[in-house]
Amino acid sequence: MTKQDAPARRTPPGTPAVRRAPSGTAPGATALRVLAGVGLLVAGVCALVTMAVTLDDAVSGDGSGGAFVVAGFWAAGLAHLAGVAALVAPRRALVAAEYALAFAAPVLALLD
């Protein structure tokens, strides 16, 4: 005797598609929240480095910050915002954006 496969369930038109099961290697919500929390600490350190670079540029340079300094501080602030958003709704894209913005902040300030 062979077992028959169950017939495929059809969804009526207009209903949303069924979500696929998550991958076995994808990080879970808890892991993403931990990464987002660590990312907030990293973003804080990068914000302090951005401040130090800006102060060094102000003392040794012409005394005024340019557009890259402003962009660096915006990147640091947006990194914190992305980190808080990743803590609330854990998504890989938010955690990646948090780290990318955090590391971009001092680099942008160094470009000035």
Side-chain angles (χ1 to χ4, degrees):
M1 292 192 154
T2 60
K3 214 178 200 186
Q4 277 189 336
D5 292 338
R9 295 173 89 184
R10 294 183 186 224
T11 57
T15 58
V18 179
R19 289 181 59 142
R20 291 186 298 171
S23 169
T25 59
T30 304
L32 287 173
R33 282 192 171 108
V34 169
L35 284 172
V38 171
L40 282 173
L41 296 174
V42 170
V45 170
C46 287
L48 288 175
V49 171
T50 303
M51 289 181 209
V53 166
T54 303
L55 286 174
D56 181 55
D57 183 47
V59 170
S60 65
D62 60 355
S64 65
F68 284 117
V69 170
V70 174
F73 281 113
W74 269 99
L78 289 174
H80 284 92
L81 185 66
V84 171
L87 283 174
V88 173
R91 301 283 185 260
R92 284 183 285 180
L94 284 173
V95 175
E98 174 187 15
Y99 279 95
L101 287 167
F103 290 127
V107 172
L108 286 169
L110 281 171
L111 289 175
D112 189 34

